[in-house]
PDB file of all heavy atoms in Angstrom:
ATOM      1  N   GLN A   1     244.905  35.500-118.550  1.00 97.00           N
ATOM      2  CA  GLN A   1     245.939  34.601-119.045  1.00 97.00           C
ATOM      3  C   GLN A   1     246.585  35.199-120.294  1.00 97.00           C
ATOM      4  O   GLN A   1     245.939  35.891-121.068  1.00 97.00           O
ATOM      5  CB  GLN A   1     245.343  33.229-119.384  1.00 97.00           C
ATOM      6  CG  GLN A   1     244.663  32.548-118.217  1.00 97.00           C
ATOM      7  CD  GLN A   1     245.620  32.240-117.081  1.00 97.00           C
ATOM      8  OE1 GLN A   1     246.754  31.811-117.311  1.00 97.00           O
ATOM      9  NE2 GLN A   1     245.181  32.466-115.860  1.00 97.00           N
ATOM     10  N   HIS A   2     247.857  34.914-120.492  1.00 96.00           N
ATOM     11  CA  HIS A   2     248.573  35.370-121.681  1.00 96.00           C
ATOM     12  C   HIS A   2     248.228  34.419-122.819  1.00 96.00           C
ATOM     13  O   HIS A   2     248.817  33.341-122.972  1.00 96.00           O
ATOM     14  CB  HIS A   2     250.080  35.389-121.416  1.00 96.00           C
ATOM     15  CG  HIS A   2     250.877  35.974-122.552  1.00 96.00           C
ATOM     16  ND1 HIS A   2     250.976  37.321-122.775  1.00 96.00           N
ATOM     17  CD2 HIS A   2     251.605  35.373-123.538  1.00 96.00           C
ATOM     18  CE1 HIS A   2     251.735  37.548-123.837  1.00 96.00           C
ATOM     19  NE2 HIS A   2     252.127  36.376-124.323  1.00 96.00           N
ATOM     20  N   THR A   3     247.250  34.817-123.632  1.00 96.00           N
ATOM     21  CA  THR A   3     246.755  33.968-124.705  1.00 96.00           C
ATOM     22  C   THR A   3     246.505  34.816-125.945  1.00 96.00           C
ATOM     23  O   THR A   3     246.265  36.022-125.837  1.00 96.00           O
ATOM     24  CB  THR A   3     245.473  33.228-124.267  1.00 96.00           C
ATOM     25  OG1 THR A   3     245.064  32.319-125.277  1.00 96.00           O
ATOM     26  CG2 THR A   3     244.340  34.200-123.962  1.00 96.00           C
ATOM     27  N   LEU A   4     246.565  34.226-127.122  1.00 95.00           N
ATOM     28  CA  LEU A   4     246.573  34.977-128.372  1.00 95.00           C
ATOM     29  C   LEU A   4     245.302  35.783-128.610  1.00 95.00           C
ATOM     30  O   LEU A   4     244.215  35.421-128.167  1.00 95.00           O
ATOM     31  CB  LEU A   4     246.787  34.024-129.554  1.00 95.00           C
ATOM     32  CG  LEU A   4     248.184  33.407-129.692  1.00 95.00           C
ATOM     33  CD1 LEU A   4     248.196  32.404-130.841  1.00 95.00           C
ATOM     34  CD2 LEU A   4     249.236  34.490-129.918  1.00 95.00           C
ATOM     35  N   GLN A   5     245.441  36.852-129.369  1.00 96.00           N
ATOM     36  CA  GLN A   5     244.339  37.728-129.751  1.00 96.00           C
ATOM     37  C   GLN A   5     243.531  37.066-130.869  1.00 96.00           C
ATOM     38  O   GLN A   5     243.742  37.312-132.053  1.00 96.00           O
ATOM     39  CB  GLN A   5     244.905  39.096-130.182  1.00 96.00           C
ATOM     40  CG  GLN A   5     243.862  40.151-130.531  1.00 96.00           C
ATOM     41  CD  GLN A   5     243.268  40.827-129.318  1.00 96.00           C
ATOM     42  OE1 GLN A   5     243.361  40.313-128.208  1.00 96.00           O
ATOM     43  NE2 GLN A   5     242.665  41.978-129.512  1.00 96.00           N
ATOM     44  N   LEU A   6     242.580  36.230-130.473  1.00 96.00           N
ATOM     45  CA  LEU A   6     241.708  35.522-131.405  1.00 96.00           C
ATOM     46  C   LEU A   6     240.295  35.572-130.837  1.00 96.00           C
ATOM     47  O   LEU A   6     240.033  35.046-129.756  1.00 96.00           O
ATOM     48  CB  LEU A   6     242.159  34.066-131.597  1.00 96.00           C
ATOM     49  CG  LEU A   6     243.587  33.871-132.141  1.00 96.00           C
ATOM     50  CD1 LEU A   6     243.978  32.403-132.100  1.00 96.00           C
ATOM     51  CD2 LEU A   6     243.704  34.416-133.568  1.00 96.00           C
ATOM     52  N   ILE A   7     239.354  36.155-131.553  1.00 96.00           N
ATOM     53  CA  ILE A   7     238.059  36.546-131.021  1.00 96.00           C
ATOM     54  C   ILE A   7     237.092  35.397-130.751  1.00 96.00           C
ATOM     55  O   ILE A   7     236.341  35.432-129.770  1.00 96.00           O
ATOM     56  CB  ILE A   7     237.380  37.585-131.956  1.00 96.00           C
ATOM     57  CG1 ILE A   7     236.023  38.043-131.413  1.00 96.00           C
ATOM     58  CG2 ILE A   7     237.201  37.016-133.353  1.00 96.00           C
ATOM     59  CD1 ILE A   7     236.055  38.824-130.164  1.00 96.00           C
ATOM     60  N   GLU A   8     237.077  34.365-131.589  1.00 92.00           N
ATOM     61  CA  GLU A   8     235.947  33.437-131.580  1.00 92.00           C
ATOM     62  C   GLU A   8     235.630  32.829-130.202  1.00 92.00           C
ATOM     63  O   GLU A   8     234.468  32.840-129.783  1.00 92.00           O
ATOM     64  CB  GLU A   8     236.142  32.322-132.609  1.00 92.00           C
ATOM     65  CG  GLU A   8     234.882  31.481-132.789  1.00 92.00           C
ATOM     66  CD  GLU A   8     235.046  30.401-133.847  1.00 92.00           C
ATOM     67  OE1 GLU A   8     236.190  30.012-134.124  1.00 92.00           O
ATOM     68  OE2 GLU A   8     234.034  29.948-134.386  1.00 92.00           O
ATOM     69  N   PRO A   9     236.614  32.312-129.446  1.00 95.00           N
ATOM     70  CA  PRO A   9     236.242  31.702-128.160  1.00 95.00           C
ATOM     71  C   PRO A   9     235.706  32.706-127.140  1.00 95.00           C
ATOM     72  O   PRO A   9     235.034  32.314-126.176  1.00 95.00           O
ATOM     73  CB  PRO A   9     237.563  31.090-127.666  1.00 95.00           C
ATOM     74  CG  PRO A   9     238.476  31.099-128.830  1.00 95.00           C
ATOM     75  CD  PRO A   9     238.056  32.224-129.700  1.00 95.00           C
ATOM     76  N   TYR A  10     236.006  33.981-127.345  1.00 97.00           N
ATOM     77  CA  TYR A  10     235.712  34.992-126.335  1.00 97.00           C
ATOM     78  C   TYR A  10     234.589  35.949-126.730  1.00 97.00           C
ATOM     79  O   TYR A  10     234.285  36.890-126.003  1.00 97.00           O
ATOM     80  CB  TYR A  10     236.983  35.785-126.020  1.00 97.00           C
ATOM     81  CG  TYR A  10     238.160  34.894-125.697  1.00 97.00           C
ATOM     82  CD1 TYR A  10     239.241  34.786-126.575  1.00 97.00           C
ATOM     83  CD2 TYR A  10     238.186  34.133-124.529  1.00 97.00           C
ATOM     84  CE1 TYR A  10     240.309  33.954-126.295  1.00 97.00           C
ATOM     85  CE2 TYR A  10     239.251  33.301-124.243  1.00 97.00           C
ATOM     86  CZ  TYR A  10     240.312  33.218-125.126  1.00 97.00           C
ATOM     87  OH  TYR A  10     241.374  32.386-124.839  1.00 97.00           O
ATOM     88  N   PHE A  11     233.962  35.687-127.879  1.00 98.00           N
ATOM     89  CA  PHE A  11     232.881  36.573-128.315  1.00 98.00           C
ATOM     90  C   PHE A  11     231.718  36.632-127.311  1.00 98.00           C
ATOM     91  O   PHE A  11     231.185  37.721-127.059  1.00 98.00           O
ATOM     92  CB  PHE A  11     232.384  36.163-129.702  1.00 98.00           C
ATOM     93  CG  PHE A  11     231.291  37.039-130.231  1.00 98.00           C
ATOM     94  CD1 PHE A  11     231.581  38.313-130.717  1.00 98.00           C
ATOM     95  CD2 PHE A  11     229.969  36.618-130.237  1.00 98.00           C
ATOM     96  CE1 PHE A  11     230.571  39.137-131.201  1.00 98.00           C
ATOM     97  CE2 PHE A  11     228.956  37.428-130.715  1.00 98.00           C
ATOM     98  CZ  PHE A  11     229.263  38.696-131.191  1.00 98.00           C
ATOM     99  N   PRO A  12     231.292  35.504-126.714  1.00 98.00           N
ATOM    100  CA  PRO A  12     230.222  35.597-125.712  1.00 98.00           C
ATOM    101  C   PRO A  12     230.572  36.528-124.550  1.00 98.00           C
ATOM    102  O   PRO A  12     229.701  37.240-124.034  1.00 98.00           O
ATOM    103  CB  PRO A  12     230.045  34.152-125.226  1.00 98.00           C
ATOM    104  CG  PRO A  12     230.499  33.317-126.379  1.00 98.00           C
ATOM    105  CD  PRO A  12     231.649  34.087-126.980  1.00 98.00           C
ATOM    106  N   ALA A  13     231.847  36.542-124.156  1.00 98.00           N
ATOM    107  CA  ALA A  13     232.271  37.443-123.082  1.00 98.00           C
ATOM    108  C   ALA A  13     232.142  38.897-123.506  1.00 98.00           C
ATOM    109  O   ALA A  13     231.829  39.773-122.691  1.00 98.00           O
ATOM    110  CB  ALA A  13     233.717  37.139-122.682  1.00 98.00           C
ATOM    111  N   MET A  14     232.363  39.165-124.794  1.00 98.00           N
ATOM    112  CA  MET A  14     232.229  40.530-125.311  1.00 98.00           C
ATOM    113  C   MET A  14     230.794  41.022-125.153  1.00 98.00           C
ATOM    114  O   MET A  14     230.545  42.164-124.725  1.00 98.00           O
ATOM    115  CB  MET A  14     232.656  40.573-126.772  1.00 98.00           C
ATOM    116  CG  MET A  14     232.737  41.969-127.369  1.00 98.00           C
ATOM    117  SD  MET A  14     233.250  41.941-129.114  1.00 98.00           S
ATOM    118  CE  MET A  14     233.773  43.651-129.328  1.00 98.00           C
ATOM    119  N   LEU A  15     229.819  40.162-125.475  1.00 98.00           N
ATOM    120  CA  LEU A  15     228.423  40.544-125.327  1.00 98.00           C
ATOM    121  C   LEU A  15     228.057  40.741-123.863  1.00 98.00           C
ATOM    122  O   LEU A  15     227.333  41.688-123.507  1.00 98.00           O
ATOM    123  CB  LEU A  15     227.522  39.482-125.957  1.00 98.00           C
ATOM    124  CG  LEU A  15     227.639  39.285-127.468  1.00 98.00           C
ATOM    125  CD1 LEU A  15     226.617  38.248-127.942  1.00 98.00           C
ATOM    126  CD2 LEU A  15     227.438  40.594-128.216  1.00 98.00           C
ATOM    127  N   LYS A  16     228.550  39.866-123.010  1.00 97.00           N
ATOM    128  CA  LYS A  16     228.275  39.983-121.573  1.00 97.00           C
ATOM    129  C   LYS A  16     228.808  41.305-121.033  1.00 97.00           C
ATOM    130  O   LYS A  16     228.124  42.021-120.284  1.00 97.00           O
ATOM    131  CB  LYS A  16     228.893  38.802-120.822  1.00 97.00           C
ATOM    132  CG  LYS A  16     228.611  38.767-119.326  1.00 97.00           C
ATOM    133  CD  LYS A  16     229.154  37.481-118.729  1.00 97.00           C
ATOM    134  CE  LYS A  16     228.767  37.343-117.264  1.00 97.00           C
ATOM    135  NZ  LYS A  16     229.494  38.281-116.389  1.00 97.00           N
ATOM    136  N   MET A  17     230.025  41.663-121.424  1.00 97.00           N
ATOM    137  CA  MET A  17     230.617  42.932-120.990  1.00 97.00           C
ATOM    138  C   MET A  17     229.839  44.118-121.544  1.00 97.00           C
ATOM    139  O   MET A  17     229.652  45.122-120.852  1.00 97.00           O
ATOM    140  CB  MET A  17     232.070  43.023-121.456  1.00 97.00           C
ATOM    141  CG  MET A  17     233.024  42.144-120.721  1.00 97.00           C
ATOM    142  SD  MET A  17     234.701  42.420-121.356  1.00 97.00           S
ATOM    143  CE  MET A  17     235.449  40.878-120.877  1.00 97.00           C
ATOM    144  N   ALA A  18     229.409  44.022-122.808  1.00 97.00           N
ATOM    145  CA  ALA A  18     228.663  45.120-123.413  1.00 97.00           C
ATOM    146  C   ALA A  18     227.399  45.423-122.609  1.00 97.00           C
ATOM    147  O   ALA A  18     227.014  46.585-122.452  1.00 97.00           O
ATOM    148  CB  ALA A  18     228.308  44.782-124.858  1.00 97.00           C
ATOM    149  N   LYS A  19     226.754  44.376-122.093  1.00 97.00           N
ATOM    150  CA  LYS A  19     225.545  44.577-121.293  1.00 97.00           C
ATOM    151  C   LYS A  19     225.871  45.143-119.924  1.00 97.00           C
ATOM    152  O   LYS A  19     225.191  46.037-119.426  1.00 97.00           O
ATOM    153  CB  LYS A  19     224.784  43.256-121.156  1.00 97.00           C
ATOM    154  CG  LYS A  19     223.438  43.408-120.450  1.00 97.00           C
ATOM    155  CD  LYS A  19     222.654  42.109-120.473  1.00 97.00           C
ATOM    156  CE  LYS A  19     221.283  42.297-119.827  1.00 97.00           C
ATOM    157  NZ  LYS A  19     220.487  41.036-119.878  1.00 97.00           N
ATOM    158  N   GLU A  20     226.922  44.634-119.310  1.00 96.00           N
ATOM    159  CA  GLU A  20     227.280  45.078-117.953  1.00 96.00           C
ATOM    160  C   GLU A  20     227.895  46.473-117.969  1.00 96.00           C
ATOM    161  O   GLU A  20     227.741  47.236-117.020  1.00 96.00           O
ATOM    162  CB  GLU A  20     228.224  44.071-117.304  1.00 96.00           C
ATOM    163  CG  GLU A  20     227.574  42.716-117.062  1.00 96.00           C
ATOM    164  CD  GLU A  20     228.422  41.793-116.222  1.00 96.00           C
ATOM    165  OE1 GLU A  20     229.552  42.170-115.858  1.00 96.00           O
ATOM    166  OE2 GLU A  20     227.954  40.677-115.921  1.00 96.00           O
ATOM    167  N   LEU A  21     228.603  46.803-119.053  1.00 97.00           N
ATOM    168  CA  LEU A  21     229.197  48.135-119.210  1.00 97.00           C
ATOM    169  C   LEU A  21     228.394  48.899-120.265  1.00 97.00           C
ATOM    170  O   LEU A  21     228.914  49.315-121.297  1.00 97.00           O
ATOM    171  CB  LEU A  21     230.663  48.012-119.632  1.00 97.00           C
ATOM    172  CG  LEU A  21     231.610  47.334-118.641  1.00 97.00           C
ATOM    173  CD1 LEU A  21     232.949  47.037-119.278  1.00 97.00           C
ATOM    174  CD2 LEU A  21     231.798  48.179-117.381  1.00 97.00           C
ATOM    175  N   ASN A  22     227.109  49.071-120.004  1.00 95.00           N
ATOM    176  CA  ASN A  22     226.214  49.552-121.059  1.00 95.00           C
ATOM    177  C   ASN A  22     226.341  51.037-121.378  1.00 95.00           C
ATOM    178  O   ASN A  22     225.635  51.537-122.243  1.00 95.00           O
ATOM    179  CB  ASN A  22     224.758  49.191-120.746  1.00 95.00           C
ATOM    180  CG  ASN A  22     224.280  49.790-119.434  1.00 95.00           C
ATOM    181  OD1 ASN A  22     224.900  50.703-118.887  1.00 95.00           O
ATOM    182  ND2 ASN A  22     223.186  49.281-118.919  1.00 95.00           N
ATOM    183  N   GLN A  23     227.237  51.737-120.702  1.00 95.00           N
ATOM    184  CA  GLN A  23     227.534  53.116-121.093  1.00 95.00           C
ATOM    185  C   GLN A  23     228.710  53.171-122.067  1.00 95.00           C
ATOM    186  O   GLN A  23     229.089  54.249-122.519  1.00 95.00           O
ATOM    187  CB  GLN A  23     227.839  53.961-119.852  1.00 95.00           C
ATOM    188  CG  GLN A  23     226.663  54.102-118.900  1.00 95.00           C
ATOM    189  CD  GLN A  23     227.027  54.917-117.670  1.00 95.00           C
ATOM    190  OE1 GLN A  23     227.574  56.009-117.776  1.00 95.00           O
ATOM    191  NE2 GLN A  23     226.734  54.382-116.503  1.00 95.00           N
ATOM    192  N   PHE A  24     229.271  51.999-122.376  1.00 97.00           N
ATOM    193  CA  PHE A  24     230.459  51.905-123.218  1.00 97.00           C
ATOM    194  C   PHE A  24     230.172  51.119-124.489  1.00 97.00           C
ATOM    195  O   PHE A  24     229.270  50.296-124.548  1.00 97.00           O
ATOM    196  CB  PHE A  24     231.598  51.201-122.471  1.00 97.00           C
ATOM    197  CG  PHE A  24     232.168  51.978-121.324  1.00 97.00           C
ATOM    198  CD1 PHE A  24     231.561  51.949-120.071  1.00 97.00           C
ATOM    199  CD2 PHE A  24     233.314  52.743-121.481  1.00 97.00           C
ATOM    200  CE1 PHE A  24     232.095  52.667-119.003  1.00 97.00           C
ATOM    201  CE2 PHE A  24     233.856  53.461-120.432  1.00 97.00           C
ATOM    202  CZ  PHE A  24     233.237  53.421-119.187  1.00 97.00           C
ATOM    203  N   THR A  25     230.991  51.362-125.496  1.00 98.00           N
ATOM    204  CA  THR A  25     231.057  50.513-126.684  1.00 98.00           C
ATOM    205  C   THR A  25     232.314  49.662-126.570  1.00 98.00           C
ATOM    206  O   THR A  25     233.417  50.197-126.409  1.00 98.00           O
ATOM    207  CB  THR A  25     231.106  51.350-127.970  1.00 98.00           C
ATOM    208  OG1 THR A  25     229.873  52.076-128.103  1.00 98.00           O
ATOM    209  CG2 THR A  25     231.291  50.471-129.196  1.00 98.00           C
ATOM    210  N   LEU A  26     232.142  48.348-126.607  1.00 98.00           N
ATOM    211  CA  LEU A  26     233.277  47.427-126.586  1.00 98.00           C
ATOM    212  C   LEU A  26     233.850  47.304-127.994  1.00 98.00           C
ATOM    213  O   LEU A  26     233.105  47.360-128.969  1.00 98.00           O
ATOM    214  CB  LEU A  26     232.824  46.045-126.120  1.00 98.00           C
ATOM    215  CG  LEU A  26     232.775  45.711-124.625  1.00 98.00           C
ATOM    216  CD1 LEU A  26     234.160  45.516-124.054  1.00 98.00           C
ATOM    217  CD2 LEU A  26     231.984  46.731-123.840  1.00 98.00           C
ATOM    218  N   PHE A  27     235.161  47.133-128.093  1.00 96.00           N
ATOM    219  CA  PHE A  27     235.718  46.875-129.411  1.00 96.00           C
ATOM    220  C   PHE A  27     236.876  45.897-129.369  1.00 96.00           C
ATOM    221  O   PHE A  27     237.584  45.771-128.367  1.00 96.00           O
ATOM    222  CB  PHE A  27     236.082  48.150-130.173  1.00 96.00           C
ATOM    223  CG  PHE A  27     236.934  49.169-129.463  1.00 96.00           C
ATOM    224  CD1 PHE A  27     238.282  49.284-129.723  1.00 96.00           C
ATOM    225  CD2 PHE A  27     236.356  50.072-128.571  1.00 96.00           C
ATOM    226  CE1 PHE A  27     239.052  50.250-129.115  1.00 96.00           C
ATOM    227  CE2 PHE A  27     237.123  51.048-127.949  1.00 96.00           C
ATOM    228  CZ  PHE A  27     238.476  51.128-128.219  1.00 96.00           C
ATOM    229  N   TYR A  28     236.984  45.174-130.493  1.00 98.00           N
ATOM    230  CA  TYR A  28     238.010  44.157-130.668  1.00 98.00           C
ATOM    231  C   TYR A  28     238.791  44.454-131.933  1.00 98.00           C
ATOM    232  O   TYR A  28     238.207  44.635-133.010  1.00 98.00           O
ATOM    233  CB  TYR A  28     237.377  42.768-130.777  1.00 98.00           C
ATOM    234  CG  TYR A  28     238.351  41.697-131.230  1.00 98.00           C
ATOM    235  CD1 TYR A  28     239.227  41.104-130.320  1.00 98.00           C
ATOM    236  CD2 TYR A  28     238.403  41.296-132.564  1.00 98.00           C
ATOM    237  CE1 TYR A  28     240.141  40.136-130.740  1.00 98.00           C
ATOM    238  CE2 TYR A  28     239.312  40.332-132.987  1.00 98.00           C
ATOM    239  CZ  TYR A  28     240.175  39.758-132.073  1.00 98.00           C
ATOM    240  OH  TYR A  28     241.084  38.802-132.490  1.00 98.00           O
ATOM    241  N   ASN A  29     240.108  44.501-131.798  1.00 97.00           N
ATOM    242  CA  ASN A  29     241.012  44.662-132.936  1.00 97.00           C
ATOM    243  C   ASN A  29     241.727  43.342-133.183  1.00 97.00           C
ATOM    244  O   ASN A  29     242.393  42.814-132.291  1.00 97.00           O
ATOM    245  CB  ASN A  29     242.054  45.758-132.655  1.00 97.00           C
ATOM    246  CG  ASN A  29     241.428  47.124-132.527  1.00 97.00           C
ATOM    247  OD1 ASN A  29     240.472  47.451-133.221  1.00 97.00           O
ATOM    248  ND2 ASN A  29     241.965  47.942-131.629  1.00 97.00           N
ATOM    249  N   GLY A  30     241.574  42.810-134.389  1.00 95.00           N
ATOM    250  CA  GLY A  30     242.256  41.576-134.722  1.00 95.00           C
ATOM    251  C   GLY A  30     243.767  41.740-134.704  1.00 95.00           C
ATOM    252  O   GLY A  30     244.292  42.857-134.709  1.00 95.00           O
ATOM    253  N   PRO A  31     244.519  40.626-134.684  1.00 93.00           N
ATOM    254  CA  PRO A  31     245.979  40.694-134.590  1.00 93.00           C
ATOM    255  C   PRO A  31     246.642  41.433-135.753  1.00 93.00           C
ATOM    256  O   PRO A  31     247.747  41.940-135.603  1.00 93.00           O
ATOM    257  CB  PRO A  31     246.406  39.223-134.539  1.00 93.00           C
ATOM    258  CG  PRO A  31     245.237  38.454-135.029  1.00 93.00           C
ATOM    259  CD  PRO A  31     244.027  39.244-134.679  1.00 93.00           C
ATOM    260  N   LYS A  32     245.959  41.504-136.898  1.00 91.00           N
ATOM    261  CA  LYS A  32     246.467  42.282-138.026  1.00 91.00           C
ATOM    262  C   LYS A  32     245.500  43.406-138.392  1.00 91.00           C
ATOM    263  O   LYS A  32     245.465  43.865-139.531  1.00 91.00           O
ATOM    264  CB  LYS A  32     246.698  41.374-139.247  1.00 91.00           C
ATOM    265  CG  LYS A  32     247.838  40.381-139.072  1.00 91.00           C
ATOM    266  CD  LYS A  32     248.062  39.604-140.364  1.00 91.00           C
ATOM    267  CE  LYS A  32     249.234  38.629-140.238  1.00 91.00           C
ATOM    268  NZ  LYS A  32     249.435  37.869-141.499  1.00 91.00           N
ATOM    269  N   CYS A  33     244.747  43.855-137.404  1.00 93.00           N
ATOM    270  CA  CYS A  33     243.731  44.889-137.643  1.00 93.00           C
ATOM    271  C   CYS A  33     243.738  45.951-136.559  1.00 93.00           C
ATOM    272  O   CYS A  33     242.692  46.415-136.104  1.00 93.00           O
ATOM    273  CB  CYS A  33     242.350  44.250-137.754  1.00 93.00           C
ATOM    274  SG  CYS A  33     242.184  43.075-139.095  1.00 93.00           S
ATOM    275  N   GLY A  34     244.945  46.312-136.117  1.00 88.00           N
ATOM    276  CA  GLY A  34     245.061  47.417-135.172  1.00 88.00           C
ATOM    277  C   GLY A  34     245.459  47.048-133.761  1.00 88.00           C
ATOM    278  O   GLY A  34     245.720  47.939-132.950  1.00 88.00           O
ATOM    279  N   ALA A  35     245.513  45.756-133.441  1.00 89.00           N
ATOM    280  CA  ALA A  35     245.902  45.355-132.086  1.00 89.00           C
ATOM    281  C   ALA A  35     247.398  45.599-131.885  1.00 89.00           C
ATOM    282  O   ALA A  35     248.212  45.077-132.636  1.00 89.00           O
ATOM    283  CB  ALA A  35     245.572  43.891-131.841  1.00 89.00           C
ATOM    284  N   SER A  36     247.740  46.394-130.871  1.00 84.00           N
ATOM    285  CA  SER A  36     249.162  46.634-130.589  1.00 84.00           C
ATOM    286  C   SER A  36     249.741  45.563-129.673  1.00 84.00           C
ATOM    287  O   SER A  36     250.947  45.552-129.422  1.00 84.00           O
ATOM    288  CB  SER A  36     249.362  48.022-129.982  1.00 84.00           C
ATOM    289  OG  SER A  36     248.527  48.214-128.867  1.00 84.00           O
ATOM    290  N   ALA A  37     248.873  44.659-129.168  1.00 89.00           N
ATOM    291  CA  ALA A  37     249.337  43.510-128.378  1.00 89.00           C
ATOM    292  C   ALA A  37     248.662  42.248-128.913  1.00 89.00           C
ATOM    293  O   ALA A  37     247.778  41.675-128.260  1.00 89.00           O
ATOM    294  CB  ALA A  37     249.020  43.708-126.897  1.00 89.00           C
ATOM    295  N   PRO A  38     249.056  41.788-130.119  1.00 90.00           N
ATOM    296  CA  PRO A  38     248.411  40.609-130.691  1.00 90.00           C
ATOM    297  C   PRO A  38     248.747  39.307-129.971  1.00 90.00           C
ATOM    298  O   PRO A  38     248.172  38.260-130.281  1.00 90.00           O
ATOM    299  CB  PRO A  38     248.940  40.587-132.129  1.00 90.00           C
ATOM    300  CG  PRO A  38     250.240  41.308-132.071  1.00 90.00           C
ATOM    301  CD  PRO A  38     250.072  42.361-131.020  1.00 90.00           C
TER     302      PRO A  38
END
């Protein structure tokens, strides 16, 4: 969905992905911290 770059509601999904994609490091850029699509 086209929804704003705000981490708090989606942090659990980040952990779930980190476990499922365990060869990768997941990262989140805040809307004023490097995100080119805030």
